[in-house]
Amino acid sequence: MQKIRFHNSDKIFDVTLSAWGNGRMKCVFHSAVDVKKDQFLKSGFKELNENNLKVQGNHSRMRYFYRVVDNNTIIYTAVPDDTYETEKSCK
């Protein structure tokens, strides 16, 4: 488990971060988030040390949603035009 803080929020979130393909990051929140209400979710974030909350990773460029899987999982990208396409939309 990791801790992150978004640039436009003081709240610290418990998450599980993992690489997701080329230049994307999967962020599984340990509590539900509201992507329509919480605009800070698109401000980029920093990964914090879970013991002393010092910055140990800078993901400021991850400001775009590649895919919102559910209320707990967002896949971020640094590229504005990088969007998820379902099989139906590819046909």
Side-chain angles (χ1 to χ4, degrees):
M1 177 174 64
Q2 292 97 346
K3 294 188 180 291
I4 63 171
R5 179 183 301 134
F6 288 90
H7 293 296
N8 294 338
S9 175
D10 290 330
K11 186 174 179 183
I12 295 173
F13 293 88
D14 291 325
V15 300
T16 301
L17 292 174
S18 58
W20 187 265
N22 188 16
R24 297 181 193 119
M25 181 150 298
K26 182 178 181 181
C27 186
V28 179
F29 293 84
H30 291 233
S31 59
V33 293
D34 187 344
V35 296
K36 292 181 181 176
K37 179 183 164 212
D38 298 331
Q39 292 300 311
F40 62 82
L41 293 171
K42 289 187 173 183
S43 65
F45 58 91
K46 292 187 178 177
E47 184 178 354
L48 308 175
N49 182 291
E50 62 186 80
N51 297 312
N52 60 18
L53 301 180
K54 292 191 183 225
V55 175
Q56 64 182 29
N58 188 347
H59 304 286
S60 297
R61 296 183 62 220
M62 296 293 172
R63 296 180 307 191
Y64 307 100
F65 295 160
Y66 172 72
R67 181 178 181 193
V68 177
V69 178
D70 56 33
N71 288 341
N72 294 77
T73 307
I74 299 172
I75 300 173
Y76 283 96
T77 181
V79 181
D81 297 332
D82 185 14
T83 56
Y84 176 76
E85 295 184 29
T86 63
E87 283 186 47
K88 287 182 180 180
S89 66
C90 292
K91 292 181 180 179

